[in-house]
Amino acid sequence: FRSRLDAAYGSRAAEIALTLAAHHDHGGSAAKAIHYYRLAAERTTLRFANRDALALFDRAHTLMRRLPATPERDALELSLLAGKTQSVIRSSASALRAPVEAFEEMIALARRLGDGPRLSAALANLSLRLATRAEYERSEAVGKELDELRRATPLSPDVISIDTTARVLIAS
């Protein structure tokens, strides 16, 4: 029945991603549920319903822990954490504490995977979060890690912008 339901919607499955996620979740198919929760969260984010998206990313992240430890699982977790942290940041100014731990997890995962672009994004975002919490010394230390990475790999314009904002906050 599950595969018939997926097949029935084919390329339109994204339209009912939350229904499919719940269906696979209740049916015990964690991998499929994660896929559809993530898809539903991404679509929900596009509607600026960030708290709802956060709940969907959280559920996917919880289910992800049931999967065996593999590099693919690490990459999936990194992706879920990226979506989750952005949803937290966009949904509440008082939620600045939550992304710190998530960015630290993202840094560890990106290092383990050797994913330079995601590592630089996580470092820049962590530095900015710490600076907004007035943890300037920690923010500066993370900025130095980003400088080391910059010597080996060019940074994206988005990462440079986030890093610049963090450095301005530290300097002020």
Side-chain angles (χ1 to χ4, degrees), residues 8-148:
Y9 282 90
S11 63
R12 293 183 42 227
E15 296 171 19
I16 62 160
L18 182 55
T19 301
L20 291 169
H23 176 76
H24 289 296
D25 193 353
H26 294 295
S29 179
K32 285 187 178 184
I34 292 164
H35 168 75
Y36 286 117
Y37 277 125
R38 179 178 170 200
L39 185 57
E42 289 168 352
R43 290 177 58 87
T44 302
T45 299
L46 294 174
R47 293 191 318 270
F48 301 102
N50 293 301
R51 288 181 190 206
D52 294 338
L54 178 59
L56 296 170
F57 278 121
D58 273 339
R59 182 61 187 152
H61 193 224
T62 298
L63 288 173
M64 182 270 327
R65 294 168 195 257
R66 293 183 187 171
L67 300 177
T70 64
E72 292 79 18
R73 178 184 169 248
D74 287 348
L76 176 61
E77 183 174 13
L78 185 55
S79 175
L80 291 172
L81 286 168
K84 188 174 170 178
T85 55
Q86 292 308 305
S87 292
V88 169
I89 291 166
R90 292 178 187 134
S91 66
S92 173
S94 65
L96 291 176
R97 171 164 263 118
V100 170
E101 290 80 16
F103 286 128
E104 289 169 342
E105 284 182 61
M106 290 171 67
I107 290 165
L109 287 166
R111 282 190 176 127
R112 193 163 52 231
L113 292 167
D115 189 333
R118 286 194 174 167
L119 176 58
S120 64
L123 285 167
N125 277 291
L126 176 59
S127 179
L128 180 58
R129 290 301 134 235
L130 293 170
T132 60
R133 293 174 49 183
E135 293 184 41
Y136 302 123
E137 287 182 21
R138 277 186 69 196
S139 177
E140 215 167 358
V142 172
K144 288 179 182 175
E145 286 184 65
L146 188 57
D147 289 340
E148 291 295 318

